[in-house]
Amino acid sequence: MRPAPFEVVAASDALPWINCIPLVSLKAAAGHVGDEKLVEPDAWVRPNGSTKPATGLFVARVEGESMNRRIPNGAYCVFRRPVAGSRNGRVVLEHRDIIDPDLEGPFTLKIWESSKTAGADGSWAHEEILLRPDSTDSGYEPIRLANDPEAAQVAAELVEVLDGSPA
């Protein structure tokens, strides 16, 4: 039997972001993960992985097969927000105005790939943004985003996959 992916911390013992981080439902978090505020967590948990509690971390369950080479369907994962620096090659939780059939909400979890063009004034702009699946199922296609900063709302980045089995 696999160990539980996290330990639920009793409310009386919870020291948020010191000895525990929030467990959230991505369905309930729509529109809030990535904001400064976070929805009321389902619980405060201590991940049973290598990641130690810190500000900006949260745990959420990932459902679906679009990233099954890295993340088993039903796995609990640790995410970090906000995302700093280049996103290229990172697995990101993207908040969008569509419904992802795997996560059943306005989030999609994919590998961020972008190409940029430099302006004469030293500025840059995205030439193309792809959200690429990493699946053994060939039916998943990359999602192409418009070159519009509003189209790409990275809510968080994957830090660690805790476990592939439901708790």
Side-chain angles (χ1 to χ4, degrees), residues 53-78:
T55 302
L57 297 178
F58 65 94
V59 173
R61 187 169 183 206
V62 174
E63 307 225 7
E65 298 293 335
S66 70
M67 292 295 291
N68 67 15
R69 286 191 177 124
R70 296 172 189 235
I71 305 167
N73 185 0
Y76 285 91
C77 298
V78 177

Side-chain angles (χ1 to χ4, degrees), residues 25-119:
S25 160
L26 291 179
K27 291 177 189 176
H32 297 287
V33 172
D35 292 344
E36 287 303 309
K37 61 186 176 195
L38 189 64
V39 296
E40 188 66 31
D42 294 338
W44 287 91
V45 299
R46 184 177 301 113
N48 289 340
S50 62
T51 305
K52 302 300 177 214
T55 302
L57 297 178
F58 65 94
V59 173
R61 187 169 183 206
V62 174
E63 307 225 7
E65 298 293 335
S66 70
M67 292 295 291
N68 67 15
R69 286 191 177 124
R70 296 172 189 235
I71 305 167
N73 185 0
Y76 285 91
C77 298
V78 177
F79 294 92
R80 176 185 301 120
R81 63 182 182 84
V83 178
S86 174
R87 297 173 178 113
N88 249 350
R90 292 181 178 178
V91 176
V92 296
L93 185 64
E94 180 86 10
H95 182 265
R96 300 168 19 108
D97 293 330
I98 65 163
I99 301 298
D100 184 291
D102 276 347
L103 296 182
E104 297 180 358
F107 291 103
T108 190
L109 187 63
K110 303 288 185 280
I111 301 167
W112 175 283
E113 293 180 4
S114 69
S115 55
K116 300 173 186 169
T117 56

Side-chain angles (χ1 to χ4, degrees), residues 114-131:
S114 69
S115 55
K116 300 173 186 169
T117 56
D121 62 355
S123 65
W124 60 268
H126 286 289
E127 191 173 284
E128 180 178 51
I129 299 170
L130 286 178
L131 299 177

